[in-house]
Amino acid sequence: MEYVTAVPHPFSEAGEPARSGRRSLAVALLFGALGAAVALLSTRQRWAAGTATVAGGNFPLTAKGSDVTGVPAALAIVGLAALVAVFAVRKAGRFLVSGLLALSGAGIVAAALLGAADGSVLDDKAAEASGDTSATVDALSHTGWPYVAAAGGALILVAGLLALRYGRLWPAMSGRYERGTGAERPRRAPKPVDPDRPEDIWKALDRGEDPTGA
């Protein structure tokens, strides 16, 4: 009679963390890179529009995301740098960098949502166009691009949370890039002494060797 046990196979238990690490790594890289690209692209689009009353009539005004706030673009670059730096550090350093990645995404979401209804930039443009410092923008409208930027920040936030949860399972930069290990380099074996070359004899004597090979 065949013996059946409910105890999990040790190899399956050992392989599960590795599979989780690979899956989370792939998702974090995809979300982090895609989120940064979306956030950067969104800040270059029109976020708000309106008109200013001038002597000749109504003057159209527009504001891009970078005009409203520079925070999403700056944090998107910080998030990309943190995503790369995760693989260059270990242990506590990796935890701190992962936290920075998550905070970058959260900051993008907050800044984009705050800028979605901000009309102060267009008010400044209206005052400049009309020559009246108290002038404000008329017919103010907003586009959906701030929410697209917020979605990009959310992707970066998810990448940071994955790094915090599974970062310890991710690979680190190869040890050949590390310096300062204190290991002494192996010395090359000296070339054989040619008795017909006086310079070889003198070099052997300088090294404390017997040039005769005795």
Side-chain angles (χ1 to χ4, degrees):
M1 180 178 179
E2 185 178 357
Y3 179 72
V4 179
T5 178
V7 178
H9 198 277
F11 291 101
S12 63
E13 291 182 352
E16 184 60 30
R19 287 193 294 270
S20 299
R22 289 193 297 267
R23 287 194 297 265
S24 61
L25 173 59
V27 174
L29 287 175
L30 175 62
F31 280 21
L34 180 61
V38 169
L40 288 172
L41 176 64
S42 301
T43 59
R44 299 178 182 178
Q45 308 304 317
R46 187 178 66 181
W47 282 23
T51 59
T53 303
V54 295
N58 292 330
F59 184 76
L61 300 172
T62 60
K64 296 189 299 183
S66 56
D67 298 329
V68 176
T69 173
V71 173
L75 289 182
I77 296 175
V78 172
L80 276 178
L83 186 63
V84 175
V86 165
F87 303 99
V89 293
R90 300 179 182 180
K91 297 182 180 179
R94 175 167 291 186
F95 182 81
L96 293 175
V97 173
S98 300
L100 177 61
L101 178 61
L103 289 176
S104 299
I108 292 174
V109 173
L113 293 179
L114 289 175
D118 188 1
S120 59
V121 173
L122 288 181
D123 287 339
D124 294 339
K125 290 187 176 184
E128 182 180 356
S130 63
D132 183 3
T133 57
S134 61
T136 58
V137 65
D138 299 323
L140 178 63
S141 63
H142 295 86
T143 67
W145 283 106
Y147 302 101
V148 177
L155 291 176
I156 297 177
L157 174 59
V158 172
L161 295 177
L162 288 174
L164 287 171
R165 174 64 178 84
Y166 298 100
R168 59 185 178 83
L169 303 175
W170 295 355
M173 187 177 292
S174 176
R176 64 182 177 180
Y177 295 103
E178 299 177 0
R179 295 292 183 265
T181 58
E184 184 178 356
R185 294 183 179 180
R187 296 182 179 180
R188 292 183 178 181
K191 295 181 179 180
V193 178
D194 186 355
D196 295 331
R197 295 172 57 87
E199 59 271 21
D200 287 356
I201 296 176
W202 285 111
K203 289 180 181 179
L205 292 174
D206 289 338
R207 293 194 300 265
E209 301 175 356
D210 184 1
T212 62

